[in-house]
């Protein structure tokens, strides 16, 4: 697998959100926390798409009401 290209960016971010992301992800640095948070967001999107694809097929129910559509 090829390593993803990395770019330097400069953002103005809420320090409280970064601290919370670090705690939730177990990250040691702000950069690691942001990368992990983005990975989680991307994975959740893929999961939601898969759930929408199977919605109404078989006996799968959205018991937490997380999927719209």
């Amino acid at each position: 697998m090829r390593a993803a290209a990395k770019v330097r960016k400069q953002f103005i971010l809420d320090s409280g959100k970064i601290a919370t992301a670090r705690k939730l992800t177990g990250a040691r640095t702000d950069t690691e926390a942001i990368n992990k948070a983005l990975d989680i967001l991307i994975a959740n999107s893929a999961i939601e798409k898969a759930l929408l694809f199977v919605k109404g097929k078989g006996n799968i129910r959205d018991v937490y009401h997380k999927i719209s559509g």
Side-chain angles (χ1 to χ4, degrees), residues 3-64:
K6 296 186 182 201
V7 294
R8 179 172 295 278
K9 295 286 182 179
Q10 184 174 352
F11 298 101
I12 299 171
L13 302 171
D14 183 320
S15 61
K17 288 180 182 180
I18 294 173
T20 301
R22 281 181 73 168
K23 184 181 283 188
L24 290 172
T25 62
R28 292 183 305 236
T29 66
D30 292 352
T31 299
E32 183 181 359
I34 292 166
N35 276 318
K36 285 184 174 190
L38 289 170
D39 288 342
I40 291 166
L41 178 66
I42 292 165
N44 283 346
S45 176
I47 291 167
E48 185 172 340
K49 285 178 186 177
L51 289 173
L52 284 171
F53 179 76
V54 299
K55 185 176 182 177
K57 299 174 183 175
N59 198 17
I60 298 172
R61 295 181 304 145
D62 180 15
V63 296
Y64 297 108

